[in-house]
Amino acid sequence: MELQRKLFILADAAKYDASCASSGSQGRDSLDGKGMGSVTGMGICHSYAPDGRCISLLKILLTNVCIFDCRYCINRKSSNVQRTRFTVAEVVQLTLDFYRRNCIEGLFLSSGIIRSSDYTMEQLVEVARRLREEHDFRGYIHLKTIPDAAPELLAQAGRHADRLSINVELPTASGLAQFAPEKDGQRIRQAMQGVDRHVQAWRAATREQRQAQSLPGAPAQRAAVPRFAPGGQSTQMIVGADRATDADILESSHTLYAGYGLRRVYYSAFSPIPDASRDLPPQAPPLMREHRLYQADWLMRFYGYGAGEIAAASRHGMLDLEIDPKLAWALANRQQFPVDLNRAPRSLLLRVPGLGTQTVDRLLAARRVRRLRLDDLLRLRAPVQKALPFVLIDGHRPLLGETDSAALRTRLIAQSQASQAQAQARHSGMRVQSALQASLF
């Protein structure tokens, strides 16, 4: 099969994997004239598809052949799709050629399982090893690892890759047993734990290296600490394939963040596939459900919310699709409001709808000098109409009973819809629904 045809098949087969972000790695470059490629400190993903996914990496499968028969997977053993595979040399050459043409800035490599988990992992590691050691490639590499592979192979993968990811596939053990009985949730978490131990050991050794002192009179030298997946590890859950509620998904995410040091949990809305099992839903879940999960995930990671708090504000364990989870929590806990912006601690300010972390930090910095006024809030360009019903500030006090009003939710939804319509008009009639969904709170 021609290489171009292989690329078409295996790049298309990789589109279902959402966990392709490339942030969090170490800064590296080839400005000294050696090697090829670079990784900036902020990550290298600069281009995004309309649904928000990064497209700046060469994102491919090594092969779409698989010995497993996971019911939700287009590449499952029983699926009637055209099969092919790259050789290690072909993936290496494609990566270098695309990079030289300034089409990509890194590689995201996953694979179906061929022969065995160890054999597949060996092939993935060999691609990364050749790029690093034989071609001195300094760009970004993200490897999708095989949880059943030997720990030694996972350790080798971390030495060459910037980030590793091991998919938990489905949020609950019952869902995994139903749709992917050949996969073992316990083995997946053991593999995650092993990667986390390596990452933590590397970070500890790096901290010790920075603190190391030379002997008196000796030249300052520090032994190089072998790097290990500086971007950490991530995972992905399929949303809507099984009967797991959003509350189940958030609880599973909380466990993963707390127990395995994950950098990100990605949520991928289930896509109906040809010749699917009757156990699978015939239609994809709303894309907004996936978006609400990302918002809730953000609240847990950066705003101090617990998974149980967010779930308590949901309806039957499902996040509200009409309003974001932060506003849903505020409306369900109206006794906490209004919040005095001149006196409330940071933790409470972060609970105000419309106020993000940067806005809160600026408000805290400003109120150290003088009392805050409504004009100060307006100058910060915060979504004032969403925040005002929930705050007290010099020059503004909510109307009596406004926070408790049953009509507040309806009014805020109408305001949000109006602002979206204005944004669409500014974009000259272009469809920007996905971009608008990228707004957090």
Side-chain angles (χ1 to χ4, degrees):
M1 185 181 293
E2 294 183 355
L3 185 60
Q4 186 173 358
R5 180 60 182 170
K6 288 184 181 181
L7 181 61
F8 176 82
I9 294 172
L10 295 175
D12 183 70
K15 68 184 179 183
Y16 297 99
D17 205 318
S19 54
C20 61
S22 58
S23 59
S25 186
Q26 282 182 310
R28 284 194 312 277
D29 59 56
S30 51
L31 297 178
D32 57 0
K34 299 177 182 178
M36 175 190 292
S38 64
V39 174
T40 63
M42 67 183 71
I44 63 171
C45 291
H46 306 307
S47 299
Y48 295 87
D51 60 357
R53 287 170 171 79
C54 170
I55 58 173
S56 64
L57 304 179
L58 175 59
K59 183 179 177 183
I60 55 176
L61 299 183
L62 180 69
T63 179
N64 63 346
V65 177
C66 192
I67 62 175
F68 288 166
D69 202 27
C70 305
R71 299 184 190 180
Y72 50 79
C73 182
I74 187 67
N75 299 312
R76 68 194 184 279
K77 180 173 61 177
S78 60
S79 180
N80 185 25
V81 296
Q82 187 175 7
R83 307 287 183 171
T84 188
R85 67 172 288 187
F86 286 123
T87 65
V88 170
E90 285 173 336
V91 176
V92 170
Q93 194 58 49
L94 280 172
T95 304
L96 298 175
D97 288 347
F98 274 111
Y99 192 91
R100 291 189 181 105
R101 290 177 173 83
N102 201 30
C103 297
I104 62 165
E105 297 178 270
L107 170 68
F108 177 94
L109 183 61
S110 184
S111 182
I113 311 299
I114 44 176
R115 297 191 189 178
S116 68
S117 297
D118 283 349
Y119 175 80
T120 305
M121 196 69 240
E122 286 176 356
Q123 299 295 296
L124 296 174
V125 170
E126 180 62 11
V127 169
R129 188 200 66 78
R130 289 193 191 182
L131 284 169
R132 295 296 194 211
E133 296 182 358
E134 297 181 12
H135 299 278
D136 199 11
F137 181 70
R138 304 186 183 188
Y140 183 86
I141 297 179
H142 182 154
L143 291 183
K144 181 69 68 173
T145 53
I146 314 300
D148 289 331
E152 295 80 9
L153 290 171
L154 297 182
Q156 291 179 36
R159 296 190 188 103
H160 303 298
D162 293 277
R163 175 171 286 185
L164 302 177
S165 55
I166 303 174
N167 284 354
V168 296
E169 308 291 354
L170 294 168
T172 64
S174 59
L176 193 65
Q178 179 182 2
F179 293 107
E182 296 164 299
K183 294 187 176 179
D184 186 341
Q186 188 63 30
R187 288 290 301 275
I188 292 173
R189 283 165 170 75
Q190 287 174 355
M192 283 182 170
Q193 195 171 51
V195 171
D196 183 46
R197 282 197 297 266
H198 282 292
V199 171
Q200 296 305 324
W202 170 75
R203 291 175 180 168
T206 302
R207 287 193 296 269
E208 292 177 3
Q209 183 190 54
R210 294 194 188 104
Q211 298 170 359
Q213 299 294 326
S214 303
L215 294 174
Q221 293 183 345
R222 295 177 178 176
V225 177
R227 62 194 293 275
F228 189 92
Q233 65 173 326
S234 59
T235 193
Q236 174 176 322
M237 294 183 196
I238 299 172
V239 176
D242 61 358
R243 297 182 179 180
T245 65
D246 293 340
D248 296 330
I249 294 171
L250 293 176
E251 186 58 40
S252 180
S253 297
H254 170 74
T255 301
L256 292 171
Y257 281 127
Y260 304 96
L262 264 66
R263 294 294 294 270
R264 286 292 303 274
V265 174
Y266 291 86
Y267 308 96
S268 179
F270 168 72
S271 297
I273 55 178
D275 304 319
S277 166
R278 294 182 180 180
D279 295 342
L280 291 169
Q283 295 182 338
L287 184 60
M288 182 58 75
R289 182 184 177 191
E290 178 185 309
H291 175 61
R292 294 299 182 216
L293 285 167
Y294 276 114
Q295 289 180 316
D297 183 277
W298 205 264
L299 290 178
M300 292 193 299
R301 294 166 60 209
F302 300 110
Y303 286 75
Y305 286 73
E309 288 183 284
I310 299 171
S314 64
R315 300 176 180 177
H316 308 294
M318 303 299 290
L319 297 175
D320 196 320
L321 299 184
E322 292 187 304
I323 57 176
D324 66 72
K326 188 176 184 182
L327 178 57
W329 183 89
L331 292 174
N333 295 272
R334 301 190 189 200
Q335 70 279 4
Q336 302 280 349
F337 302 97
V339 171
D340 189 340
L341 297 188
N342 279 294
R343 295 183 179 181
R346 185 176 188 274
S347 59
L348 191 52
L349 294 179
L350 288 173
R351 301 277 171 140
V352 176
L355 299 188
T357 54
Q358 291 186 355
T359 299
V360 167
D361 289 340
R362 290 171 183 169
L363 291 174
L364 290 172
R367 80 183 192 184
R368 294 191 190 102
V369 181
R370 58 178 174 80
R371 287 185 62 81
L372 299 174
R373 299 186 296 269
L374 179 59
D375 289 345
D376 297 320
L377 197 58
L378 296 173
R379 277 194 290 270
L380 289 175
R381 296 184 178 181
V384 175
Q385 296 304 318
K386 183 186 287 190
L388 286 181
F390 301 95
V391 300
L392 293 172
I393 193 171
D394 289 2
H396 168 75
R397 178 179 292 272
L399 298 175
L400 184 64
E402 181 180 16
T403 304
D404 295 329
S405 170
L408 180 58
R409 171 193 164 93
T410 302
R411 178 161 63 84
L412 290 173
I413 291 176
Q415 289 174 352
S416 176
Q417 292 173 343
S419 65
Q420 289 188 11
Q422 292 173 0
Q424 286 179 335
R426 287 197 300 270
H427 282 76
S428 304
M430 294 177 62
R431 295 183 65 185
V432 294
Q433 182 178 3
S434 297
L436 290 172
Q437 290 177 0
S439 173
L440 275 176
F441 310 115

